[in-house]
Amino acid sequence: MSRHVTVGLDGSLQSDAAAEWAAREAVLREVPLRLVHADEWPVWTADPEAEAGVQRPGVQRLWADKLLAEAAERLRQRHPSLEISTRRLSGRPSTALATEAADADLLVLGSRGLSCVMGFVLGSVGMETITAAEGPVVFVRAPAFPGADQDTPAGSSRDVVVGVDIHQPCDPLLGFAFDEAARRGGRLRALHGWSLPPVVHDALALEAAERDMAPDIARSLGDALAPWQRKYPSVAVVELTPVGAPSQLLAQSAADADLVVVGRRSRRSRLGAHIGPVTHAVIHHCAAPVAIVAHH
């Protein structure tokens, strides 16, 4: 397998942020970076001539080549030791990106923020790419203020946060999360959120139920993490099993994290692949970069 990090560009501020994050990740992994653009990808640009020409294939190709070349030059200036290549893809963006990323360590895409509201507006390309790609897909949002330096965001840590479902096997998810934490030299915060029985309404009964159930849930999370802790003894692990909605708890825990890791089931139904409600919510409401890892 040709190891590299792939990032998709569409001319938006969000894809610029994704490219910078991908470049730093490639440097961290000591692998090349590949910049790609799919010809059928909607163009996000303030250039009226480019917008007017998106319907003409020749103009679109010239614009895409310029986009890739300028991005590569910008990243080479910031990361002179990084090997960078560019590629213009043809076909449906989600399919082309998934195919291109098949032999990559990561596929990185940008996500558009909704004004000052904390959240992502993924769009069809991002959502389709998640379900088409077998490897990890990372979504990166642009800085809150254009031009802000992303190298060391204020208040950030090198921690990785991973959402764990103790009721399902998720070795690919945990393997990826531990690997990322080891690479960054930060802690791994493993979180499993859970709910009390809906039939219990009395405050004392709720307190008793939580007291009775909490040790077993904490033990199950510890059992799931134990093999990976033995494999990665240098990674400090924080085990969290609070009561509450997993998506909200993950977003809160990830406020100062370097990366959030969540899973999606790789099985398909008659209606197609689904990423699950928790992963969907985390993608839309988490400020940190979010990695989605497929597992059975």
Side-chain angles (χ1 to χ4, degrees):
M1 182 175 70
S2 175
R3 294 192 60 208
H4 61 274
V5 173
T6 294
V7 58
L9 301 181
D10 65 359
S12 66
L13 291 175
Q14 292 73 32
S15 75
D16 289 346
E20 177 56 40
W21 188 91
R24 296 199 305 272
E25 186 69 17
V27 170
L28 192 61
R29 291 169 173 264
E30 299 183 338
V31 299
L33 175 67
R34 182 177 297 173
L35 312 179
V36 302
H37 173 82
D39 283 343
E40 295 181 14
W41 207 337
V43 175
W44 301 94
T45 175
D47 185 346
E49 294 183 2
E51 289 182 349
V54 294
Q55 301 300 324
R56 301 198 299 273
V59 175
Q60 168 70 2
R61 286 194 291 269
L62 288 173
W63 180 89
D65 290 341
K66 180 182 178 183
L67 167 71
L68 292 168
E70 290 180 349
E73 179 59 27
R74 185 169 61 251
L75 292 172
R76 288 190 182 104
Q77 291 179 3
R78 295 197 59 159
H79 308 279
S81 64
L82 179 60
E83 178 184 339
I84 302 174
S85 62
T86 64
R87 184 173 298 180
R88 179 164 42 80
L89 312 177
S90 298
R92 186 180 182 89
S94 57
T95 303
L97 288 167
T99 300
E100 174 65 25
D103 63 345
D105 284 12
L106 293 175
L107 171 64
V108 185
L109 300 174
S111 290
R112 286 178 289 144
L114 185 59
S115 65
C116 62
V117 178
M118 186 70 72
F120 285 115
V121 181
L122 260 186
S124 59
V125 171
M127 194 61 69
E128 290 175 5
T129 302
I130 294 175
T131 57
E134 289 299 320
V137 181
V138 179
F139 285 93
V140 178
R141 65 183 296 159
F145 303 100
D149 187 358
Q150 283 194 313
D151 286 345
T152 309
S156 66
S157 70
R158 301 185 68 82
D159 289 0
V160 173
V161 174
V162 59
V164 183
D165 183 352
I166 61 174
H167 305 295
Q168 302 288 344
C170 52
D171 280 349
L173 175 73
L174 293 176
F176 180 88
F178 269 89
D179 198 46
E180 289 298 317
R183 184 175 290 114
R184 284 163 167 75
R187 298 178 303 170
L188 178 65
R189 298 183 224 157
L191 185 147
H192 173 80
W194 56 287
S195 301
L196 292 167
V199 296
V200 181
H201 302 290
D202 178 77
L204 292 177
L206 285 170
E207 183 179 340
E210 180 176 357
R211 186 171 58 251
D212 292 341
M213 296 173 64
D216 288 339
I217 291 172
R219 189 177 305 110
S220 295
L221 178 61
D223 290 344
L225 297 172
W228 296 100
Q229 289 183 283
R230 289 192 291 270
K231 185 175 180 179
Y232 291 88
S234 65
V235 175
V237 179
V238 179
E239 300 178 21
L240 304 169
T241 55
V243 174
S247 57
Q248 295 179 6
L249 293 168
L250 282 167
Q252 293 168 4
S253 181
D256 64 341
D258 202 45
L259 181 67
V260 181
V261 184
V262 290
R264 74 164 181 87
R265 307 293 290 173
S266 58
R267 290 193 304 234
R268 290 178 175 268
S269 69
R270 290 179 298 175
L271 299 177
H274 298 278
I275 66 171
V278 172
T279 294
H280 189 279
V282 170
I283 293 170
H284 281 78
H285 297 289
C286 188
V290 179
I292 299 95
V293 180
H295 59 88
H296 296 288

